[in-house]
mmCIF file of all heavy atoms in Angstrom:
data_model
loop_
_atom_site.group_PDB
_atom_site.id
_atom_site.type_symbol
_atom_site.label_atom_id
_atom_site.label_comp_id
_atom_site.label_asym_id
_atom_site.label_seq_id
_atom_site.Cartn_x
_atom_site.Cartn_y
_atom_site.Cartn_z
ATOM 1 N N ILE F 6 0.886 -1.217 0.048
ATOM 2 C CA ILE F 6 0.007 0.012 0.032
ATOM 3 C C ILE F 6 0.899 1.239 0.001
ATOM 4 O O ILE F 6 0.608 2.204 -0.706
ATOM 5 C CB ILE F 6 -0.936 -0.017 1.203
ATOM 6 C CG1 ILE F 6 -1.870 -1.192 0.982
ATOM 7 C CG2 ILE F 6 -1.678 1.326 1.281
ATOM 8 C CD1 ILE F 6 -2.837 -1.307 2.276
ATOM 9 N N ALA F 7 1.912 1.142 0.741
ATOM 10 C CA ALA F 7 2.878 2.391 0.861
ATOM 11 C C ALA F 7 3.553 2.562 -0.473
ATOM 12 O O ALA F 7 3.660 3.730 -1.016
ATOM 13 C CB ALA F 7 3.933 2.236 1.916
ATOM 14 N N GLU F 8 3.832 1.518 -1.198
ATOM 15 C CA GLU F 8 4.580 1.569 -2.437
ATOM 16 C C GLU F 8 3.667 2.119 -3.565
ATOM 17 O O GLU F 8 3.987 2.930 -4.401
ATOM 18 C CB GLU F 8 5.123 0.050 -2.820
ATOM 19 C CG GLU F 8 6.026 0.126 -4.125
ATOM 20 C CD GLU F 8 6.527 -1.235 -4.457
ATOM 21 O OE1 GLU F 8 6.724 -2.032 -3.445
ATOM 22 O OE2 GLU F 8 6.703 -1.542 -5.620
ATOM 23 N N LYS F 9 2.372 1.584 -3.474
ATOM 24 C CA LYS F 9 1.366 2.083 -4.464
ATOM 25 C C LYS F 9 0.995 3.652 -4.239
ATOM 26 O O LYS F 9 1.011 4.399 -5.194
ATOM 27 C CB LYS F 9 0.034 1.346 -4.425
ATOM 28 C CG LYS F 9 0.199 -0.051 -4.992
ATOM 29 C CD LYS F 9 -1.162 -0.752 -4.877
ATOM 30 C CE LYS F 9 -0.998 -2.130 -5.413
ATOM 31 N NZ LYS F 9 -2.304 -2.924 -5.360
ATOM 32 N N THR F 10 1.051 4.052 -3.016
ATOM 33 C CA THR F 10 0.801 5.420 -2.693
ATOM 34 C C THR F 10 1.904 6.331 -3.157
ATOM 35 O O THR F 10 1.645 7.422 -3.704
ATOM 36 C CB THR F 10 0.628 5.560 -1.116
ATOM 37 O OG1 THR F 10 -0.345 4.688 -0.693
ATOM 38 C CG2 THR F 10 0.270 7.053 -0.786
ATOM 39 N N VAL F 11 3.198 5.901 -3.027
ATOM 40 C CA VAL F 11 4.273 6.611 -3.480
ATOM 41 C C VAL F 11 4.276 6.681 -5.001
ATOM 42 O O VAL F 11 4.562 7.763 -5.566
ATOM 43 C CB VAL F 11 5.641 6.017 -2.921
ATOM 44 C CG1 VAL F 11 6.857 6.534 -3.626
ATOM 45 C CG2 VAL F 11 5.741 6.168 -1.463
ATOM 46 N N ARG F 12 4.069 5.638 -5.683
ATOM 47 C CA ARG F 12 3.897 5.646 -7.151
ATOM 48 C C ARG F 12 2.902 6.677 -7.684
ATOM 49 O O ARG F 12 3.034 7.372 -8.596
ATOM 50 C CB ARG F 12 3.639 4.298 -7.680
ATOM 51 C CG ARG F 12 4.660 3.380 -7.707
ATOM 52 C CD ARG F 12 4.353 2.166 -8.454
ATOM 53 N NE ARG F 12 5.414 1.133 -8.103
ATOM 54 C CZ ARG F 12 5.105 -0.312 -8.176
ATOM 55 N NH1 ARG F 12 4.028 -0.644 -8.592
ATOM 56 N NH2 ARG F 12 5.997 -1.094 -7.820
ATOM 57 N N LEU F 13 1.691 6.554 -6.883
ATOM 58 C CA LEU F 13 0.675 7.551 -7.343
ATOM 59 C C LEU F 13 1.054 8.919 -7.092
ATOM 60 O O LEU F 13 0.740 9.829 -8.035
ATOM 61 C CB LEU F 13 -0.586 7.257 -6.517
ATOM 62 C CG LEU F 13 -1.845 8.124 -6.717
ATOM 63 C CD1 LEU F 13 -2.359 7.756 -8.255
ATOM 64 C CD2 LEU F 13 -2.896 7.785 -5.784
ATOM 65 N N ALA F 14 1.786 9.246 -6.092
ATOM 66 C CA ALA F 14 2.171 10.625 -5.812
ATOM 67 C C ALA F 14 3.136 11.174 -6.845
ATOM 68 O O ALA F 14 3.208 12.194 -7.324
ATOM 69 C CB ALA F 14 2.704 10.731 -4.348
ATOM 70 N N ILE F 15 4.089 10.244 -7.191
ATOM 71 C CA ILE F 15 5.128 10.606 -8.208
ATOM 72 C C ILE F 15 4.406 10.772 -9.575
ATOM 73 O O ILE F 15 4.587 11.839 -10.296
ATOM 74 C CB ILE F 15 6.160 9.408 -8.291
ATOM 75 C CG1 ILE F 15 7.013 9.390 -7.120
ATOM 76 C CG2 ILE F 15 7.034 9.611 -9.614
ATOM 77 C CD1 ILE F 15 7.890 8.222 -7.004
ATOM 78 N N THR F 16 3.542 10.025 -9.888
ATOM 79 C CA THR F 16 2.675 10.213 -11.193
ATOM 80 C C THR F 16 1.950 11.488 -11.313
ATOM 81 O O THR F 16 1.957 12.183 -12.271
ATOM 82 C CB THR F 16 1.776 8.979 -11.514
ATOM 83 O OG1 THR F 16 2.419 7.769 -11.326
ATOM 84 C CG2 THR F 16 1.103 9.043 -12.801
ATOM 85 N N LEU F 17 1.274 11.824 -10.180
ATOM 86 C CA LEU F 17 0.541 12.997 -10.062
ATOM 87 C C LEU F 17 1.438 14.208 -10.181
ATOM 88 O O LEU F 17 1.121 15.227 -10.728
ATOM 89 C CB LEU F 17 -0.303 13.054 -8.775
ATOM 90 C CG LEU F 17 -1.511 12.147 -8.805
ATOM 91 C CD1 LEU F 17 -2.246 12.241 -7.446
ATOM 92 C CD2 LEU F 17 -2.524 12.486 -9.849
ATOM 93 N N THR F 18 2.630 14.194 -9.493
ATOM 94 C CA THR F 18 3.475 15.187 -9.662
ATOM 95 C C THR F 18 4.063 15.397 -11.037
ATOM 96 O O THR F 18 4.174 16.582 -11.446
ATOM 97 C CB THR F 18 4.849 14.935 -8.644
ATOM 98 O OG1 THR F 18 4.311 14.642 -7.423
ATOM 99 C CG2 THR F 18 5.723 16.131 -8.652
ATOM 100 N N LYS F 19 4.273 14.354 -11.783
ATOM 101 C CA LYS F 19 4.725 14.505 -13.050
ATOM 102 C C LYS F 19 3.643 15.231 -14.023
ATOM 103 O O LYS F 19 3.933 16.062 -14.817
ATOM 104 C CB LYS F 19 5.118 13.155 -13.785
ATOM 105 C CG LYS F 19 6.345 12.572 -13.238
ATOM 106 C CD LYS F 19 6.594 11.281 -13.952
ATOM 107 C CE LYS F 19 7.959 10.645 -13.494
ATOM 108 N NZ LYS F 19 8.143 9.281 -14.030
ATOM 109 N N VAL F 20 2.412 14.760 -13.774
ATOM 110 C CA VAL F 20 1.255 15.285 -14.510
ATOM 111 C C VAL F 20 1.123 16.743 -14.174
ATOM 112 O O VAL F 20 0.981 17.626 -15.156
ATOM 113 C CB VAL F 20 -0.017 14.535 -14.304
ATOM 114 C CG1 VAL F 20 -1.239 15.241 -14.869
ATOM 115 C CG2 VAL F 20 0.101 13.072 -14.812
ATOM 116 N N THR F 21 1.089 17.233 -13.011
ATOM 117 C CA THR F 21 0.884 18.570 -12.600
ATOM 118 C C THR F 21 2.084 19.395 -13.063
ATOM 119 O O THR F 21 1.927 20.542 -13.478
ATOM 120 C CB THR F 21 0.597 18.771 -11.144
ATOM 121 O OG1 THR F 21 1.736 18.179 -10.367
ATOM 122 C CG2 THR F 21 -0.687 18.204 -10.662
ATOM 123 N N GLY F 22 3.224 18.841 -13.002
ATOM 124 C CA GLY F 22 4.390 19.582 -13.510
ATOM 125 C C GLY F 22 4.425 19.859 -15.102
ATOM 126 O O GLY F 22 4.686 20.885 -15.602
ATOM 127 N N ARG F 23 3.879 18.830 -15.820
ATOM 128 C CA ARG F 23 3.792 19.086 -17.237
ATOM 129 C C ARG F 23 2.660 19.981 -17.516
ATOM 130 O O ARG F 23 2.803 20.822 -18.428
ATOM 131 C CB ARG F 23 3.417 17.646 -17.852
ATOM 132 C CG ARG F 23 4.525 16.604 -17.926
ATOM 133 C CD ARG F 23 4.200 15.442 -18.580
ATOM 134 N NE ARG F 23 5.277 14.386 -18.449
ATOM 135 C CZ ARG F 23 5.036 13.239 -18.324
ATOM 136 N NH1 ARG F 23 3.801 12.707 -18.269
ATOM 137 N NH2 ARG F 23 6.092 12.341 -18.146
ATOM 138 N N GLY F 24 1.593 20.016 -16.736
ATOM 139 C CA GLY F 24 0.541 20.859 -17.011
ATOM 140 C C GLY F 24 0.890 22.291 -16.587
ATOM 141 O O GLY F 24 0.602 23.280 -17.371
ATOM 142 N N LEU F 25 1.710 22.375 -15.539
ATOM 143 C CA LEU F 25 2.206 23.788 -15.170
ATOM 144 C C LEU F 25 3.077 24.339 -16.274
ATOM 145 O O LEU F 25 3.046 25.560 -16.556
ATOM 146 C CB LEU F 25 2.868 23.760 -13.913
ATOM 147 C CG LEU F 25 3.423 25.070 -13.268
ATOM 148 C CD1 LEU F 25 2.307 25.961 -13.118
ATOM 149 C CD2 LEU F 25 4.278 24.765 -11.970
ATOM 150 N N LEU F 26 3.984 23.477 -16.769
ATOM 151 C CA LEU F 26 4.924 23.874 -17.854
ATOM 152 C C LEU F 26 4.187 24.271 -19.180
ATOM 153 O O LEU F 26 4.439 25.359 -19.728
ATOM 154 C CB LEU F 26 5.863 22.710 -18.161
ATOM 155 C CG LEU F 26 6.985 22.984 -19.209
ATOM 156 C CD1 LEU F 26 7.842 24.160 -18.759
ATOM 157 C CD2 LEU F 26 7.774 21.810 -19.481
ATOM 158 N N ALA F 27 3.108 23.521 -19.433
ATOM 159 C CA ALA F 27 2.309 23.880 -20.674
ATOM 160 C C ALA F 27 1.507 25.153 -20.429
ATOM 161 O O ALA F 27 1.408 25.986 -21.334
ATOM 162 C CB ALA F 27 1.333 22.696 -20.964
ATOM 163 N N ALA F 28 1.001 25.377 -19.230
ATOM 164 C CA ALA F 28 0.345 26.665 -19.016
ATOM 165 C C ALA F 28 1.336 27.833 -19.079
ATOM 166 O O ALA F 28 0.918 28.884 -19.606
ATOM 167 C CB ALA F 28 -0.332 26.593 -17.597
ATOM 168 N N LEU F 29 2.466 27.723 -18.590
ATOM 169 C CA LEU F 29 3.481 28.791 -18.651
ATOM 170 C C LEU F 29 3.837 29.018 -20.141
ATOM 171 O O LEU F 29 4.024 30.248 -20.511
ATOM 172 C CB LEU F 29 4.670 28.383 -17.866
ATOM 173 C CG LEU F 29 4.567 28.446 -16.337
ATOM 174 C CD1 LEU F 29 5.820 28.026 -15.502
ATOM 175 C CD2 LEU F 29 4.327 29.921 -15.915
ATOM 176 N N LYS F 30 4.026 28.068 -20.965
ATOM 177 C CA LYS F 30 4.377 28.219 -22.283
ATOM 178 C C LYS F 30 3.262 29.001 -22.965
ATOM 179 O O LYS F 30 3.518 29.832 -23.793
ATOM 180 C CB LYS F 30 4.684 26.897 -23.022
ATOM 181 C CG LYS F 30 5.999 26.286 -22.699
ATOM 182 C CD LYS F 30 6.187 24.985 -23.424
ATOM 183 C CE LYS F 30 7.608 24.345 -23.083
ATOM 184 N NZ LYS F 30 7.821 23.131 -23.785
ATOM 185 N N ALA F 31 2.035 28.524 -22.745
ATOM 186 C CA ALA F 31 0.902 29.173 -23.372
ATOM 187 C C ALA F 31 0.770 30.748 -22.893
ATOM 188 O O ALA F 31 0.447 31.531 -23.721
ATOM 189 C CB ALA F 31 -0.437 28.493 -23.003
ATOM 190 N N GLY F 32 1.003 30.933 -21.710
ATOM 191 C CA GLY F 32 1.014 32.369 -21.148
ATOM 192 C C GLY F 32 2.039 33.193 -21.879
ATOM 193 O O GLY F 32 1.742 34.263 -22.277
ATOM 194 N N ILE F 33 3.295 32.610 -21.927
ATOM 195 C CA ILE F 33 4.366 33.396 -22.654
ATOM 196 C C ILE F 33 3.998 33.699 -24.132
ATOM 197 O O ILE F 33 4.296 34.663 -24.634
ATOM 198 C CB ILE F 33 5.655 32.606 -22.515
ATOM 199 C CG1 ILE F 33 6.143 32.773 -21.092
ATOM 200 C CG2 ILE F 33 6.729 33.186 -23.378
ATOM 201 C CD1 ILE F 33 7.391 31.777 -20.708
ATOM 202 N N LYS F 34 3.363 32.609 -24.798
ATOM 203 C CA LYS F 34 3.011 32.708 -26.168
ATOM 204 C C LYS F 34 2.024 33.945 -26.331
ATOM 205 O O LYS F 34 2.078 34.663 -27.257
ATOM 206 C CB LYS F 34 2.472 31.481 -26.837
ATOM 207 C CG LYS F 34 2.228 31.527 -28.158
ATOM 208 C CD LYS F 34 1.806 30.111 -28.623
ATOM 209 C CE LYS F 34 1.650 29.973 -30.083
ATOM 210 N NZ LYS F 34 1.215 28.724 -30.661
ATOM 211 N N THR F 35 1.008 33.961 -25.447
ATOM 212 C CA THR F 35 -0.058 35.043 -25.644
ATOM 213 C C THR F 35 0.545 36.367 -25.338
ATOM 214 O O THR F 35 0.180 37.435 -25.999
ATOM 215 C CB THR F 35 -1.233 34.815 -24.625
ATOM 216 O OG1 THR F 35 -0.697 34.714 -23.365
ATOM 217 C CG2 THR F 35 -1.959 33.564 -25.024
ATOM 218 N N LEU F 36 1.613 36.525 -24.420
ATOM 219 C CA LEU F 36 2.220 37.788 -24.215
ATOM 220 C C LEU F 36 2.937 38.248 -25.395
ATOM 221 O O LEU F 36 2.970 39.383 -25.804
ATOM 222 C CB LEU F 36 3.228 37.655 -22.981
ATOM 223 C CG LEU F 36 2.526 37.694 -21.710
ATOM 224 C CD1 LEU F 36 3.554 37.418 -20.458
ATOM 225 C CD2 LEU F 36 1.749 38.937 -21.375
ATOM 226 N N ARG F 37 3.698 37.377 -26.118
ATOM 227 C CA ARG F 37 4.353 37.640 -27.372
ATOM 228 C C ARG F 37 3.460 38.206 -28.403
ATOM 229 O O ARG F 37 3.717 39.131 -29.021
ATOM 230 C CB ARG F 37 5.241 36.470 -27.775
ATOM 231 C CG ARG F 37 6.433 36.242 -27.013
ATOM 232 C CD ARG F 37 7.245 35.089 -27.672
ATOM 233 N NE ARG F 37 8.332 34.657 -26.841
ATOM 234 C CZ ARG F 37 8.964 33.550 -26.862
ATOM 235 N NH1 ARG F 37 8.539 32.689 -27.782
ATOM 236 N NH2 ARG F 37 10.025 33.326 -26.062
ATOM 237 N N VAL F 38 2.315 37.465 -28.626
ATOM 238 C CA VAL F 38 1.358 37.770 -29.710
ATOM 239 C C VAL F 38 0.821 39.149 -29.278
ATOM 240 O O VAL F 38 0.691 40.035 -30.188
ATOM 241 C CB VAL F 38 0.209 36.708 -29.754
ATOM 242 C CG1 VAL F 38 -0.805 37.112 -30.563
ATOM 243 C CG2 VAL F 38 0.821 35.427 -30.296
ATOM 244 N N SER F 39 0.436 39.482 -28.036
ATOM 245 C CA SER F 39 -0.176 40.815 -27.754
ATOM 246 C C SER F 39 0.794 41.895 -27.941
ATOM 247 O O SER F 39 0.477 42.988 -28.326
ATOM 248 C CB SER F 39 -0.751 40.773 -26.372
ATOM 249 O OG SER F 39 0.333 40.738 -25.437
ATOM 250 N N ASN F 40 2.071 41.647 -27.667
ATOM 251 C CA ASN F 40 3.204 42.602 -27.950
ATOM 252 C C ASN F 40 3.413 42.919 -29.254
ATOM 253 O O ASN F 40 3.798 44.006 -29.713
ATOM 254 C CB ASN F 40 4.419 42.262 -27.158
ATOM 255 C CG ASN F 40 4.340 42.443 -25.573
ATOM 256 O OD1 ASN F 40 3.527 43.110 -25.185
ATOM 257 N ND2 ASN F 40 5.311 41.700 -24.858
#
């Protein structure tokens, strides 16, 4: 159970990290377009 919980936490961290990176890239792109 502990091992499964750790795996789930690592997977969620990767997903949110990727989501955060994608959101930052989109934000930078819209700033460039508006400028």
Side-chain angles (χ1 to χ4, degrees):
I6 294 173
E8 190 177 326
K9 287 182 181 179
T10 307
V11 170
R12 281 189 201 158
L13 180 66
I15 291 172
T16 307
L17 289 175
T18 306
K19 285 182 183 178
V20 171
T21 55
R23 288 182 191 144
L25 182 63
L26 183 64
L29 287 173
K30 283 182 180 179
I33 290 170
K34 188 176 183 180
T35 55
L36 285 175
R37 283 185 188 160
V38 169
S39 65
N40 286 340

